[in-house]
């Protein structure tokens, strides 16, 4: 569903820009396409008052520039048009597996870069597109469990679980429902997940957005996960205040000058996954 909605959105943006360009000149049409970048800029500026200590202007500028590119790549190309460009990879004889869980208003195309690299390494992976797109986060537990079981059947072990944004809460909802059925706890990596809610969820639509609001009852009743590396950034324009991305007991990894979507493109997060696949554990929190 998200892919279809995003295809409509891309075509609508292009149609509006073409109409403005035809009527007022093509320079104005190009500026119309750039409105997305202007909205993003407002999201970064407000972090100067939301986060304490406030991120420096230079960090926010760097995060904004990269976020414009990352969000256009995700919402104008990979998710609307390339959702299944990288199918699930379950090679015979694989000994390692990764489950990739996307966030709010996204689909599995969010992970295309990681999936391509994992395929080259011979690592098995499953990346579901969570549906319904704007339903309860609890509804995603069965699909996550199915992916975990597929990888376990192939590799004989619990896969590493990687989640971006809302996906981290989906993993916690899955663990609440299915955790007792697994003898082994998962190694989890979350990237900008609103573990303690986010102010920006008040602007979202759907049951899942309501569940991510600060102080929501659903979030207060959600259990944690036992083994988590949580990546967060003071330049996160979606999950803020910044500390809400750090769950209790997690190994916290701070990235500066990176926006919400940019976390998936960070070398530090990819390196953490490689460490997890190698079977080692980062025993103490550290700042990156």
């Amino acid at each position: 569903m998200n892919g279809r909605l995003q295809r409509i959105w891309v075509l609508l943006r292009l149609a509006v820009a073409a109409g403005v360009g035809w009527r007022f000149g093509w320079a104005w049409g190009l500026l119309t396409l750039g409105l997305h970048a202007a909205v993003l800029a407002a999201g970064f500026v407000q972090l100067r008052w939301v986060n304490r200590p406030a991120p420096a202007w230079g960090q926010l500028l760097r995060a904004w520039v990269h976020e414009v590119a990352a969000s256009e790549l995700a919402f104008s190309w990979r998710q609307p048009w390339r959702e299944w460009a990288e199918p699930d990879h379950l090679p015979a004889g694989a000994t390692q597996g990764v489950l990739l869980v996307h966030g709010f208003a996204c689909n599995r195309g969010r992970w295309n870069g990681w999936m391509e690299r994992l395929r080259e390494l011979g690592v098995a992976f499953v990346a579901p597109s969570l549906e319904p797109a704007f339903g309860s986060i609890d509804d995603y537990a069965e699909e996550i469990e199915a992916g975990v079981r597929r990888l376990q059947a192939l590799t004989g072990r619990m896969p590493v679980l990687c989640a971006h944004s809302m996906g981290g809460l989906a993993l916690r909802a899955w663990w609440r429902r299915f955790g007792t059925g697994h003898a082994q706890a998962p190694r989890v990596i979350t990237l900008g997940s609103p573990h303690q809610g986010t102010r920006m969820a008040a602007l979202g639509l759907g049951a899942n957005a309501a569940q991510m609001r600060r102080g929501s009852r659903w979030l207060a009743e959600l259990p944690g996960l036992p083994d988590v590396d949580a990546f967060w950034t003071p330049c996160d324009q979606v999950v803020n205040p910044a500390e809400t991305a750090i769950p209790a007991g997690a190994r916290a990894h701070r990235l500066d000058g990176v926006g919400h979507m940019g976390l998936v493109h960070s070398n530090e997060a990819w390196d953490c996954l490689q460490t997890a696949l190698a079977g080692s554990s980062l025993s103490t929190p550290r700042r990156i």
Side-chain angles (χ1 to χ4, degrees):
M1 178 179 177
N2 272 328
R4 183 168 62 252
L5 291 175
Q6 289 176 38
R7 286 193 293 274
I8 293 172
W9 173 244
V10 170
L11 295 174
L12 180 61
R13 283 182 67 195
L14 291 174
V16 170
V20 170
W22 181 264
R23 178 66 178 83
F24 300 104
W26 296 113
W28 287 106
L30 289 174
L31 285 174
T32 301
L33 284 177
L35 288 175
H36 169 68
V39 172
L40 277 178
F44 283 105
V45 168
Q46 55 104 24
L47 296 178
R48 287 282 297 178
W49 290 269
V50 172
N51 290 334
R52 289 292 180 268
W57 285 114
Q59 293 176 354
L60 290 173
L61 178 61
R62 184 175 68 179
W64 172 72
V65 170
H66 290 291
E67 195 74 355
V68 170
S71 59
E72 288 289 5
L73 178 64
F75 291 108
S76 297
W77 178 239
R78 284 180 171 173
Q79 291 176 176
W81 312 106
R82 305 283 291 172
E83 181 179 359
W84 294 100
E86 295 287 344
D88 292 343
H89 185 53
L90 299 167
T95 59
Q96 299 171 313
V98 179
L99 184 79
L100 300 164
V101 184
H102 65 77
F104 180 76
C106 293
N107 60 38
R108 67 186 305 280
R110 184 76 191 88
W111 296 102
N112 278 2
W114 281 35
M115 289 191 285
E116 182 179 0
R117 296 169 78 178
L118 288 170
R119 190 185 306 276
E120 292 173 353
L121 293 173
V123 176
F125 61 80
V126 170
S129 281
L130 302 177
E131 297 288 351
F134 302 105
S136 170
I137 296 174
D138 291 311
D139 294 340
Y140 308 141
E142 287 189 7
E143 195 160 9
I144 291 171
E145 174 69 2
V148 168
R149 292 294 184 182
R150 289 174 69 194
L151 289 164
Q152 282 181 318
L154 176 68
T155 66
R157 66 178 68 180
M158 173 69 74
V160 177
L161 310 183
C162 297
H164 179 245
S165 196
M166 180 196 71
L169 301 184
L171 289 181
R172 290 169 60 185
W174 159 78
W175 189 244
R176 172 169 60 184
R177 181 171 174 183
F178 292 103
T180 57
H182 293 279
Q184 180 185 3
R187 176 75 179 273
V188 176
I189 300 170
T190 65
L191 312 177
S193 291
H195 289 289
Q196 302 174 53
T198 172
R199 296 169 58 255
M200 306 308 290
L203 304 177
L205 301 175
N208 45 9
Q211 289 168 328
M212 290 187 286
R213 290 173 185 166
R214 296 276 283 160
S216 79
R217 180 177 177 181
W218 180 88
L219 198 57
E221 296 174 349
L222 192 64
L225 288 159
D227 188 8
V228 181
D229 287 280
F231 284 80
W232 67 282
T233 170
C235 298
D236 194 324
Q237 80 282 11
V238 175
V239 176
N240 53 77
E243 64 271 13
T244 59
I246 308 172
R251 295 175 292 274
H253 306 268
R254 171 175 171 162
L255 300 181
D256 290 314
V258 179
H260 186 70
M261 301 295 283
L263 286 167
V264 173
H265 300 281
S266 68
N267 291 329
E268 294 86 351
W270 175 257
D271 290 343
C272 185
L273 173 59
Q274 300 314 299
T275 299
L277 288 172
S280 61
S281 176
L282 301 176
S283 58
T284 57
R286 62 190 180 114
R287 173 173 172 155
I288 298 177

